[in-house]
mmCIF file of all heavy atoms in Angstrom:
data_model
loop_
_atom_site.group_PDB
_atom_site.id
_atom_site.type_symbol
_atom_site.label_atom_id
_atom_site.label_comp_id
_atom_site.label_asym_id
_atom_site.label_seq_id
_atom_site.Cartn_x
_atom_site.Cartn_y
_atom_site.Cartn_z
ATOM 1 N N ASN A 9 68.911 -151.157 222.323
ATOM 2 C CA ASN A 9 68.723 -150.544 223.639
ATOM 3 C C ASN A 9 69.743 -151.043 224.650
ATOM 4 O O ASN A 9 70.234 -150.274 225.490
ATOM 5 C CB ASN A 9 67.296 -150.786 224.141
ATOM 6 C CG ASN A 9 66.341 -149.697 223.707
ATOM 7 O OD1 ASN A 9 66.235 -148.654 224.336
ATOM 8 N ND2 ASN A 9 65.671 -149.931 222.580
ATOM 9 N N LEU A 10 70.095 -152.315 224.576
ATOM 10 C CA LEU A 10 71.132 -152.842 225.477
ATOM 11 C C LEU A 10 72.491 -152.264 225.102
ATOM 12 O O LEU A 10 73.298 -151.924 225.976
ATOM 13 C CB LEU A 10 71.150 -154.371 225.415
ATOM 14 C CG LEU A 10 69.849 -155.072 225.853
ATOM 15 C CD1 LEU A 10 70.013 -156.588 225.786
ATOM 16 C CD2 LEU A 10 69.406 -154.639 227.246
ATOM 17 N N PHE A 11 72.745 -152.120 223.795
ATOM 18 C CA PHE A 11 73.966 -151.466 223.315
ATOM 19 C C PHE A 11 74.044 -150.034 223.845
ATOM 20 O O PHE A 11 75.090 -149.581 224.314
ATOM 21 C CB PHE A 11 73.983 -151.471 221.785
ATOM 22 C CG PHE A 11 74.999 -150.545 221.175
ATOM 23 C CD1 PHE A 11 76.346 -150.867 221.171
ATOM 24 C CD2 PHE A 11 74.605 -149.334 220.599
ATOM 25 C CE1 PHE A 11 77.290 -150.005 220.610
ATOM 26 C CE2 PHE A 11 75.534 -148.474 220.037
ATOM 27 C CZ PHE A 11 76.880 -148.815 220.045
ATOM 28 N N ARG A 12 72.916 -149.318 223.776
ATOM 29 C CA ARG A 12 72.874 -147.928 224.261
ATOM 30 C C ARG A 12 73.269 -147.846 225.735
ATOM 31 O O ARG A 12 74.056 -146.973 226.139
ATOM 32 C CB ARG A 12 71.485 -147.349 224.049
ATOM 33 C CG ARG A 12 71.251 -146.005 224.719
ATOM 34 C CD ARG A 12 69.851 -145.482 224.449
ATOM 35 N NE ARG A 12 69.495 -144.434 225.389
ATOM 36 C CZ ARG A 12 68.757 -144.629 226.491
ATOM 37 N NH1 ARG A 12 68.312 -145.845 226.781
ATOM 38 N NH2 ARG A 12 68.478 -143.621 227.293
ATOM 39 N N LEU A 13 72.756 -148.752 226.567
ATOM 40 C CA LEU A 13 73.093 -148.726 227.993
ATOM 41 C C LEU A 13 74.566 -149.055 228.221
ATOM 42 O O LEU A 13 75.230 -148.448 229.069
ATOM 43 C CB LEU A 13 72.193 -149.689 228.768
ATOM 44 C CG LEU A 13 70.729 -149.239 228.913
ATOM 45 C CD1 LEU A 13 69.892 -150.328 229.560
ATOM 46 C CD2 LEU A 13 70.629 -147.943 229.723
ATOM 47 N N LEU A 14 75.095 -149.999 227.466
ATOM 48 C CA LEU A 14 76.530 -150.321 227.567
ATOM 49 C C LEU A 14 77.375 -149.097 227.230
ATOM 50 O O LEU A 14 78.389 -148.820 227.885
ATOM 51 C CB LEU A 14 76.886 -151.478 226.633
ATOM 52 C CG LEU A 14 76.341 -152.868 226.998
ATOM 53 C CD1 LEU A 14 76.546 -153.843 225.847
ATOM 54 C CD2 LEU A 14 77.014 -153.402 228.271
ATOM 55 N N MET A 15 76.960 -148.350 226.206
ATOM 56 C CA MET A 15 77.715 -147.166 225.805
ATOM 57 C C MET A 15 77.584 -146.043 226.826
ATOM 58 O O MET A 15 78.520 -145.270 227.041
ATOM 59 C CB MET A 15 77.249 -146.681 224.426
ATOM 60 C CG MET A 15 77.510 -147.672 223.301
ATOM 61 S SD MET A 15 79.203 -148.283 223.254
ATOM 62 C CE MET A 15 80.081 -146.840 222.739
ATOM 63 N N ILE A 16 76.420 -145.943 227.464
ATOM 64 C CA ILE A 16 76.253 -144.961 228.548
ATOM 65 C C ILE A 16 77.239 -145.282 229.675
ATOM 66 O O ILE A 16 77.870 -144.382 230.240
ATOM 67 C CB ILE A 16 74.800 -144.949 229.058
ATOM 68 C CG1 ILE A 16 73.903 -144.231 228.042
ATOM 69 C CG2 ILE A 16 74.698 -144.255 230.420
ATOM 70 C CD1 ILE A 16 72.422 -144.330 228.334
ATOM 71 N N TRP A 17 77.404 -146.554 229.985
ATOM 72 C CA TRP A 17 78.360 -146.961 231.032
ATOM 73 C C TRP A 17 79.792 -146.606 230.637
ATOM 74 O O TRP A 17 80.621 -146.303 231.487
ATOM 75 C CB TRP A 17 78.258 -148.466 231.282
ATOM 76 C CG TRP A 17 76.933 -148.928 231.798
ATOM 77 C CD1 TRP A 17 75.899 -148.143 232.248
ATOM 78 C CD2 TRP A 17 76.473 -150.275 231.915
ATOM 79 N NE1 TRP A 17 74.833 -148.910 232.635
ATOM 80 C CE2 TRP A 17 75.147 -150.239 232.450
ATOM 81 C CE3 TRP A 17 77.029 -151.518 231.631
ATOM 82 C CZ2 TRP A 17 74.398 -151.377 232.690
ATOM 83 C CZ3 TRP A 17 76.282 -152.668 231.867
ATOM 84 C CH2 TRP A 17 74.977 -152.597 232.393
ATOM 85 N N LEU A 18 80.056 -146.643 229.336
ATOM 86 C CA LEU A 18 81.405 -146.338 228.841
ATOM 87 C C LEU A 18 81.631 -144.847 228.614
ATOM 88 O O LEU A 18 82.749 -144.425 228.325
ATOM 89 C CB LEU A 18 81.652 -147.067 227.512
ATOM 90 C CG LEU A 18 82.172 -148.502 227.549
ATOM 91 C CD1 LEU A 18 82.194 -149.081 226.139
ATOM 92 C CD2 LEU A 18 83.560 -148.590 228.176
ATOM 93 N N SER A 19 80.589 -144.036 228.745
ATOM 94 C CA SER A 19 80.662 -142.647 228.283
ATOM 95 C C SER A 19 81.771 -141.795 228.902
ATOM 96 O O SER A 19 82.390 -140.997 228.189
ATOM 97 C CB SER A 19 79.302 -141.957 228.425
ATOM 98 O OG SER A 19 78.795 -142.079 229.723
ATOM 99 N N PRO A 20 82.105 -141.912 230.197
ATOM 100 C CA PRO A 20 83.234 -141.113 230.697
ATOM 101 C C PRO A 20 84.595 -141.661 230.250
ATOM 102 O O PRO A 20 85.600 -140.970 230.347
ATOM 103 C CB PRO A 20 83.097 -141.221 232.226
ATOM 104 C CG PRO A 20 81.728 -141.742 232.476
ATOM 105 C CD PRO A 20 81.411 -142.611 231.300
ATOM 106 N N ILE A 21 84.610 -142.915 229.779
ATOM 107 C CA ILE A 21 85.875 -143.605 229.496
ATOM 108 C C ILE A 21 86.331 -143.410 228.056
ATOM 109 O O ILE A 21 87.504 -143.165 227.796
ATOM 110 C CB ILE A 21 85.739 -145.111 229.824
ATOM 111 C CG1 ILE A 21 85.427 -145.288 231.320
ATOM 112 C CG2 ILE A 21 87.014 -145.876 229.448
ATOM 113 C CD1 ILE A 21 85.056 -146.701 231.720
ATOM 114 N N MET A 22 85.406 -143.511 227.084
ATOM 115 C CA MET A 22 85.765 -143.482 225.660
ATOM 116 C C MET A 22 84.997 -142.367 224.937
ATOM 117 O O MET A 22 84.064 -142.636 224.188
ATOM 118 C CB MET A 22 85.489 -144.844 225.027
ATOM 119 C CG MET A 22 86.220 -145.985 225.696
ATOM 120 S SD MET A 22 85.934 -147.592 224.914
ATOM 121 C CE MET A 22 86.997 -147.479 223.461
ATOM 122 N N PRO A 23 85.388 -141.113 225.129
ATOM 123 C CA PRO A 23 84.606 -139.982 224.594
ATOM 124 C C PRO A 23 84.496 -139.939 223.078
ATOM 125 O O PRO A 23 83.459 -139.516 222.553
ATOM 126 C CB PRO A 23 85.325 -138.750 225.143
ATOM 127 C CG PRO A 23 86.686 -139.218 225.538
ATOM 128 C CD PRO A 23 86.533 -140.650 225.933
ATOM 129 N N ASP A 24 85.542 -140.345 222.352
ATOM 130 C CA ASP A 24 85.463 -140.308 220.881
ATOM 131 C C ASP A 24 84.461 -141.339 220.367
ATOM 132 O O ASP A 24 83.662 -141.049 219.469
ATOM 133 C CB ASP A 24 86.849 -140.557 220.262
ATOM 134 C CG ASP A 24 87.761 -139.353 220.382
ATOM 135 O OD1 ASP A 24 87.237 -138.227 220.532
ATOM 136 O OD2 ASP A 24 88.988 -139.523 220.326
ATOM 137 N N LEU A 25 84.519 -142.543 220.917
ATOM 138 C CA LEU A 25 83.562 -143.585 220.533
ATOM 139 C C LEU A 25 82.134 -143.149 220.880
ATOM 140 O O LEU A 25 81.196 -143.389 220.109
ATOM 141 C CB LEU A 25 83.906 -144.900 221.240
ATOM 142 C CG LEU A 25 82.913 -146.055 221.053
ATOM 143 C CD1 LEU A 25 82.717 -146.386 219.572
ATOM 144 C CD2 LEU A 25 83.370 -147.293 221.829
ATOM 145 N N ILE A 26 81.968 -142.510 222.015
ATOM 146 C CA ILE A 26 80.642 -142.051 222.440
ATOM 147 C C ILE A 26 80.103 -141.015 221.464
ATOM 148 O O ILE A 26 78.923 -141.027 221.107
ATOM 149 C CB ILE A 26 80.695 -141.472 223.870
ATOM 150 C CG1 ILE A 26 81.115 -142.553 224.869
ATOM 151 C CG2 ILE A 26 79.356 -140.863 224.262
ATOM 152 C CD1 ILE A 26 80.320 -143.841 224.805
ATOM 153 N N SER A 27 80.949 -140.127 220.996
ATOM 154 C CA SER A 27 80.526 -139.099 220.039
ATOM 155 C C SER A 27 80.022 -139.739 218.746
ATOM 156 O O SER A 27 78.977 -139.341 218.202
ATOM 157 C CB SER A 27 81.699 -138.158 219.752
ATOM 158 O OG SER A 27 81.337 -137.180 218.823
ATOM 159 N N ARG A 28 80.743 -140.747 218.251
ATOM 160 C CA ARG A 28 80.321 -141.450 217.031
ATOM 161 C C ARG A 28 79.015 -142.217 217.278
ATOM 162 O O ARG A 28 78.146 -142.286 216.403
ATOM 163 C CB ARG A 28 81.418 -142.406 216.567
ATOM 164 C CG ARG A 28 82.678 -141.711 216.076
ATOM 165 C CD ARG A 28 83.622 -142.655 215.370
ATOM 166 N NE ARG A 28 84.216 -143.637 216.257
ATOM 167 C CZ ARG A 28 85.337 -143.459 216.951
ATOM 168 N NH1 ARG A 28 85.995 -142.294 216.878
ATOM 169 N NH2 ARG A 28 85.833 -144.411 217.722
ATOM 170 N N THR A 29 78.893 -142.785 218.471
ATOM 171 C CA THR A 29 77.684 -143.538 218.825
ATOM 172 C C THR A 29 76.473 -142.616 218.899
ATOM 173 O O THR A 29 75.370 -142.984 218.477
ATOM 174 C CB THR A 29 77.886 -144.266 220.169
ATOM 175 O OG1 THR A 29 78.999 -145.156 220.056
ATOM 176 C CG2 THR A 29 76.651 -145.057 220.563
ATOM 177 N N GLU A 30 76.663 -141.420 219.444
ATOM 178 C CA GLU A 30 75.561 -140.451 219.522
ATOM 179 C C GLU A 30 75.067 -140.076 218.123
ATOM 180 O O GLU A 30 73.864 -139.908 217.904
ATOM 181 C CB GLU A 30 75.998 -139.217 220.303
ATOM 182 C CG GLU A 30 76.137 -139.478 221.797
ATOM 183 C CD GLU A 30 76.684 -138.299 222.581
ATOM 184 O OE1 GLU A 30 77.348 -137.425 221.978
ATOM 185 O OE2 GLU A 30 76.449 -138.249 223.803
ATOM 186 N N ASN A 31 75.994 -139.951 217.179
ATOM 187 C CA ASN A 31 75.607 -139.662 215.794
ATOM 188 C C ASN A 31 74.843 -140.840 215.195
ATOM 189 O O ASN A 31 73.878 -140.645 214.446
ATOM 190 C CB ASN A 31 76.845 -139.363 214.947
ATOM 191 C CG ASN A 31 77.493 -138.048 215.309
ATOM 192 O OD1 ASN A 31 76.829 -137.137 215.800
ATOM 193 N ND2 ASN A 31 78.792 -137.933 215.083
ATOM 194 N N PHE A 32 75.259 -142.043 215.511
ATOM 195 C CA PHE A 32 74.598 -143.256 215.016
ATOM 196 C C PHE A 32 73.194 -143.397 215.605
ATOM 197 O O PHE A 32 72.218 -143.643 214.880
ATOM 198 C CB PHE A 32 75.466 -144.481 215.352
ATOM 199 C CG PHE A 32 74.739 -145.792 215.315
ATOM 200 C CD1 PHE A 32 74.078 -146.219 214.169
ATOM 201 C CD2 PHE A 32 74.730 -146.611 216.437
ATOM 202 C CE1 PHE A 32 73.406 -147.438 214.143
ATOM 203 C CE2 PHE A 32 74.054 -147.832 216.421
ATOM 204 C CZ PHE A 32 73.390 -148.247 215.268
ATOM 205 N N LEU A 33 73.076 -143.220 216.919
ATOM 206 C CA LEU A 33 71.780 -143.389 217.587
ATOM 207 C C LEU A 33 70.882 -142.157 217.480
ATOM 208 O O LEU A 33 69.693 -142.224 217.790
ATOM 209 C CB LEU A 33 71.988 -143.738 219.059
ATOM 210 C CG LEU A 33 72.638 -145.093 219.370
ATOM 211 C CD1 LEU A 33 72.814 -145.269 220.875
ATOM 212 C CD2 LEU A 33 71.814 -146.249 218.804
ATOM 213 N N LYS A 34 71.485 -141.021 217.085
ATOM 214 C CA LYS A 34 70.760 -139.748 217.006
ATOM 215 C C LYS A 34 70.166 -139.357 218.358
ATOM 216 O O LYS A 34 69.004 -138.922 218.453
ATOM 217 C CB LYS A 34 69.649 -139.809 215.948
ATOM 218 C CG LYS A 34 70.150 -139.927 214.520
ATOM 219 C CD LYS A 34 68.981 -139.860 213.541
ATOM 220 C CE LYS A 34 69.464 -139.868 212.109
ATOM 221 N NZ LYS A 34 68.332 -139.807 211.152
ATOM 222 N N ILE A 35 70.965 -139.528 219.392
ATOM 223 C CA ILE A 35 70.516 -139.173 220.739
ATOM 224 C C ILE A 35 71.735 -138.911 221.616
ATOM 225 O O ILE A 35 72.810 -139.483 221.396
ATOM 226 C CB ILE A 35 69.642 -140.292 221.357
ATOM 227 C CG1 ILE A 35 68.908 -139.779 222.607
ATOM 228 C CG2 ILE A 35 70.445 -141.539 221.646
ATOM 229 C CD1 ILE A 35 67.836 -140.719 223.122
ATOM 230 N N LYS A 36 71.604 -138.044 222.600
ATOM 231 C CA LYS A 36 72.674 -137.761 223.557
ATOM 232 C C LYS A 36 72.701 -138.860 224.604
ATOM 233 O O LYS A 36 71.664 -139.240 225.149
ATOM 234 C CB LYS A 36 72.427 -136.402 224.227
ATOM 235 C CG LYS A 36 73.586 -135.888 225.055
ATOM 236 C CD LYS A 36 74.665 -135.310 224.197
ATOM 237 C CE LYS A 36 75.771 -134.692 225.045
ATOM 238 N NZ LYS A 36 76.952 -134.338 224.249
ATOM 239 N N LEU A 37 73.885 -139.400 224.864
ATOM 240 C CA LEU A 37 74.030 -140.428 225.894
ATOM 241 C C LEU A 37 74.315 -139.760 227.228
ATOM 242 O O LEU A 37 75.182 -138.888 227.317
ATOM 243 C CB LEU A 37 75.164 -141.388 225.534
ATOM 244 C CG LEU A 37 74.972 -142.187 224.236
ATOM 245 C CD1 LEU A 37 76.201 -143.010 223.922
ATOM 246 C CD2 LEU A 37 73.748 -143.074 224.312
ATOM 247 N N SER A 38 73.604 -140.152 228.263
ATOM 248 C CA SER A 38 73.709 -139.470 229.548
ATOM 249 C C SER A 38 73.668 -140.448 230.716
ATOM 250 O O SER A 38 72.838 -141.362 230.741
ATOM 251 C CB SER A 38 72.567 -138.460 229.685
ATOM 252 O OG SER A 38 72.495 -137.936 230.994
ATOM 253 N N LEU A 39 74.566 -140.226 231.677
ATOM 254 C CA LEU A 39 74.529 -141.001 232.916
ATOM 255 C C LEU A 39 73.406 -140.526 233.834
ATOM 256 O O LEU A 39 73.121 -141.152 234.847
ATOM 257 C CB LEU A 39 75.866 -140.876 233.660
ATOM 258 C CG LEU A 39 77.017 -141.737 233.156
ATOM 259 C CD1 LEU A 39 78.307 -141.324 233.835
ATOM 260 C CD2 LEU A 39 76.750 -143.213 233.377
ATOM 261 N N LYS A 40 72.796 -139.416 233.480
ATOM 262 C CA LYS A 40 71.731 -138.841 234.301
ATOM 263 C C LYS A 40 70.350 -139.245 233.781
ATOM 264 O O LYS A 40 69.443 -139.557 234.549
ATOM 265 C CB LYS A 40 71.881 -137.313 234.315
ATOM 266 C CG LYS A 40 71.192 -136.630 235.490
ATOM 267 C CD LYS A 40 71.534 -135.149 235.482
ATOM 268 C CE LYS A 40 70.864 -134.448 236.648
ATOM 269 N NZ LYS A 40 71.089 -132.996 236.619
ATOM 270 N N LYS A 41 70.217 -139.232 232.459
ATOM 271 C CA LYS A 41 68.927 -139.572 231.836
ATOM 272 C C LYS A 41 69.111 -140.829 230.991
ATOM 273 O O LYS A 41 69.508 -140.752 229.831
ATOM 274 C CB LYS A 41 68.433 -138.411 230.972
ATOM 275 C CG LYS A 41 68.175 -137.128 231.763
ATOM 276 C CD LYS A 41 67.782 -135.984 230.835
ATOM 277 C CE LYS A 41 67.564 -134.696 231.617
ATOM 278 N NZ LYS A 41 67.229 -133.552 230.732
ATOM 279 N N TYR A 42 68.846 -141.952 231.591
ATOM 280 C CA TYR A 42 69.085 -143.217 230.884
ATOM 281 C C TYR A 42 67.935 -144.212 231.010
ATOM 282 O O TYR A 42 67.926 -145.253 230.362
ATOM 283 C CB TYR A 42 70.355 -143.877 231.437
ATOM 284 C CG TYR A 42 70.304 -144.173 232.919
ATOM 285 C CD1 TYR A 42 69.714 -145.335 233.399
ATOM 286 C CD2 TYR A 42 70.840 -143.279 233.845
ATOM 287 C CE1 TYR A 42 69.654 -145.599 234.768
ATOM 288 C CE2 TYR A 42 70.780 -143.530 235.205
ATOM 289 C CZ TYR A 42 70.193 -144.690 235.665
ATOM 290 O OH TYR A 42 70.136 -144.949 237.006
ATOM 291 N N LYS A 43 66.945 -143.914 231.847
ATOM 292 C CA LYS A 43 65.922 -144.913 232.189
ATOM 293 C C LYS A 43 64.948 -145.208 231.051
ATOM 294 O O LYS A 43 64.570 -146.349 230.829
ATOM 295 C CB LYS A 43 65.164 -144.467 233.443
ATOM 296 C CG LYS A 43 66.029 -144.485 234.690
ATOM 297 C CD LYS A 43 65.255 -144.098 235.936
ATOM 298 C CE LYS A 43 66.176 -144.128 237.156
ATOM 299 N NZ LYS A 43 65.470 -143.729 238.391
ATOM 300 N N ASN A 44 64.527 -144.173 230.320
ATOM 301 C CA ASN A 44 63.550 -144.385 229.250
ATOM 302 C C ASN A 44 64.191 -145.083 228.055
ATOM 303 O O ASN A 44 65.226 -144.637 227.552
ATOM 304 C CB ASN A 44 62.928 -143.061 228.803
ATOM 305 C CG ASN A 44 62.100 -142.437 229.902
ATOM 306 O OD1 ASN A 44 61.554 -143.125 230.756
ATOM 307 N ND2 ASN A 44 62.016 -141.113 229.892
ATOM 308 N N PRO A 45 63.574 -146.164 227.567
ATOM 309 C CA PRO A 45 64.161 -146.883 226.431
ATOM 310 C C PRO A 45 64.049 -146.090 225.139
ATOM 311 O O PRO A 45 63.247 -145.161 225.020
ATOM 312 C CB PRO A 45 63.317 -148.165 226.363
ATOM 313 C CG PRO A 45 62.016 -147.801 226.991
ATOM 314 C CD PRO A 45 62.332 -146.794 228.055
ATOM 315 N N LEU A 46 64.851 -146.471 224.176
ATOM 316 C CA LEU A 46 64.863 -145.834 222.858
ATOM 317 C C LEU A 46 63.892 -146.612 221.962
ATOM 318 O O LEU A 46 64.244 -147.664 221.431
ATOM 319 C CB LEU A 46 66.297 -145.866 222.303
ATOM 320 C CG LEU A 46 66.685 -144.865 221.219
ATOM 321 C CD1 LEU A 46 66.492 -143.441 221.698
ATOM 322 C CD2 LEU A 46 68.132 -145.088 220.808
ATOM 323 N N ILE A 47 62.674 -146.117 221.836
ATOM 324 C CA ILE A 47 61.657 -146.801 221.027
ATOM 325 C C ILE A 47 60.977 -145.795 220.100
ATOM 326 O O ILE A 47 60.995 -144.583 220.344
ATOM 327 C CB ILE A 47 60.593 -147.512 221.903
ATOM 328 C CG1 ILE A 47 60.009 -146.558 222.949
ATOM 329 C CG2 ILE A 47 61.190 -148.743 222.566
ATOM 330 C CD1 ILE A 47 58.902 -147.158 223.802
ATOM 331 N N ASN A 48 60.397 -146.349 219.012
ATOM 332 C CA ASN A 48 59.754 -145.507 217.997
ATOM 333 C C ASN A 48 60.670 -144.346 217.595
ATOM 334 O O ASN A 48 60.268 -143.182 217.533
ATOM 335 C CB ASN A 48 58.409 -144.970 218.526
ATOM 336 C CG ASN A 48 57.527 -144.466 217.396
ATOM 337 O OD1 ASN A 48 57.637 -144.929 216.261
ATOM 338 N ND2 ASN A 48 56.672 -143.498 217.703
ATOM 339 N N HIS A 49 61.897 -144.688 217.321
ATOM 340 C CA HIS A 49 62.974 -143.702 217.097
ATOM 341 C C HIS A 49 63.781 -144.153 215.881
ATOM 342 O O HIS A 49 64.053 -145.332 215.704
ATOM 343 C CB HIS A 49 63.856 -143.630 218.352
ATOM 344 C CG HIS A 49 65.070 -142.771 218.216
ATOM 345 N ND1 HIS A 49 65.059 -141.411 218.444
ATOM 346 C CD2 HIS A 49 66.356 -143.076 217.875
ATOM 347 C CE1 HIS A 49 66.278 -140.927 218.257
ATOM 348 N NE2 HIS A 49 67.071 -141.921 217.907
ATOM 349 N N LYS A 50 64.187 -143.197 215.069
ATOM 350 C CA LYS A 50 64.956 -143.530 213.870
ATOM 351 C C LYS A 50 66.452 -143.379 214.123
ATOM 352 O O LYS A 50 66.895 -142.339 214.613
ATOM 353 C CB LYS A 50 64.534 -142.655 212.697
ATOM 354 C CG LYS A 50 65.151 -143.082 211.365
ATOM 355 C CD LYS A 50 64.492 -142.395 210.183
ATOM 356 C CE LYS A 50 65.062 -142.940 208.871
ATOM 357 N NZ LYS A 50 64.377 -142.369 207.700
ATOM 358 N N ILE A 51 67.206 -144.406 213.811
ATOM 359 C CA ILE A 51 68.667 -144.367 213.957
ATOM 360 C C ILE A 51 69.315 -144.138 212.600
ATOM 361 O O ILE A 51 68.686 -144.299 211.560
ATOM 362 C CB ILE A 51 69.220 -145.662 214.600
ATOM 363 C CG1 ILE A 51 68.899 -146.875 213.718
ATOM 364 C CG2 ILE A 51 68.677 -145.840 216.015
ATOM 365 C CD1 ILE A 51 69.556 -148.172 214.189
ATOM 366 N N SER A 52 70.587 -143.779 212.607
ATOM 367 C CA SER A 52 71.328 -143.552 211.364
ATOM 368 C C SER A 52 71.804 -144.877 210.772
ATOM 369 O O SER A 52 71.774 -145.920 211.423
ATOM 370 C CB SER A 52 72.542 -142.661 211.626
ATOM 371 O OG SER A 52 72.156 -141.413 212.119
ATOM 372 N N ILE A 53 72.277 -144.798 209.539
ATOM 373 C CA ILE A 53 72.939 -145.958 208.921
ATOM 374 C C ILE A 53 74.192 -146.259 209.725
ATOM 375 O O ILE A 53 74.953 -145.355 210.071
ATOM 376 C CB ILE A 53 73.321 -145.655 207.452
ATOM 377 C CG1 ILE A 53 72.059 -145.365 206.628
ATOM 378 C CG2 ILE A 53 74.121 -146.802 206.850
ATOM 379 C CD1 ILE A 53 71.140 -146.540 206.435
ATOM 380 N N PHE A 54 74.407 -147.537 210.031
ATOM 381 C CA PHE A 54 75.575 -147.923 210.835
ATOM 382 C C PHE A 54 76.841 -147.832 209.995
ATOM 383 O O PHE A 54 76.946 -148.402 208.912
ATOM 384 C CB PHE A 54 75.398 -149.357 211.348
ATOM 385 C CG PHE A 54 76.559 -149.849 212.186
ATOM 386 C CD1 PHE A 54 76.608 -149.587 213.543
ATOM 387 C CD2 PHE A 54 77.606 -150.550 211.604
ATOM 388 C CE1 PHE A 54 77.676 -150.027 214.320
ATOM 389 C CE2 PHE A 54 78.681 -150.998 212.360
ATOM 390 C CZ PHE A 54 78.708 -150.731 213.721
ATOM 391 N N ASN A 55 77.806 -147.070 210.498
ATOM 392 C CA ASN A 55 79.165 -147.064 209.935
ATOM 393 C C ASN A 55 80.096 -147.662 210.970
ATOM 394 O O ASN A 55 79.741 -147.756 212.142
ATOM 395 C CB ASN A 55 79.604 -145.632 209.588
ATOM 396 C CG ASN A 55 78.843 -145.085 208.400
ATOM 397 O OD1 ASN A 55 78.706 -145.760 207.390
ATOM 398 N ND2 ASN A 55 78.318 -143.869 208.534
#
């Protein structure tokens, strides 16, 4: 969850990394919708 917030902060800066991260976390990263934590959620295998 802390990683997710760090990546949200980076989202306008590193778009390719963000795209790969979204596939890993199976969720869209947003500067608008970020308050709810990522819980009871299945993530992908880390590459």
Side-chain angles (χ1 to χ4, degrees):
N9 270 276
L10 299 182
F11 166 75
R12 170 179 163 262
L13 288 174
L14 290 169
M15 296 310 290
I16 285 172
W17 297 350
L18 274 174
S19 53
I21 298 171
M22 302 182 77
D24 285 337
L25 174 57
I26 297 308
S27 179
R28 293 192 292 272
T29 301
E30 288 175 338
N31 290 333
F32 161 57
L33 294 178
K34 293 185 176 180
I35 194 169
K36 190 78 175 170
L37 298 175
S38 170
L39 281 170
K40 201 174 180 184
K41 298 176 182 178
Y42 59 84
K43 292 182 180 179
N44 294 332
L46 202 59
I47 51 177
N48 197 27
H49 174 86
K50 188 168 185 176
I51 61 173
S52 299
I53 298 293
F54 180 86
N55 290 313

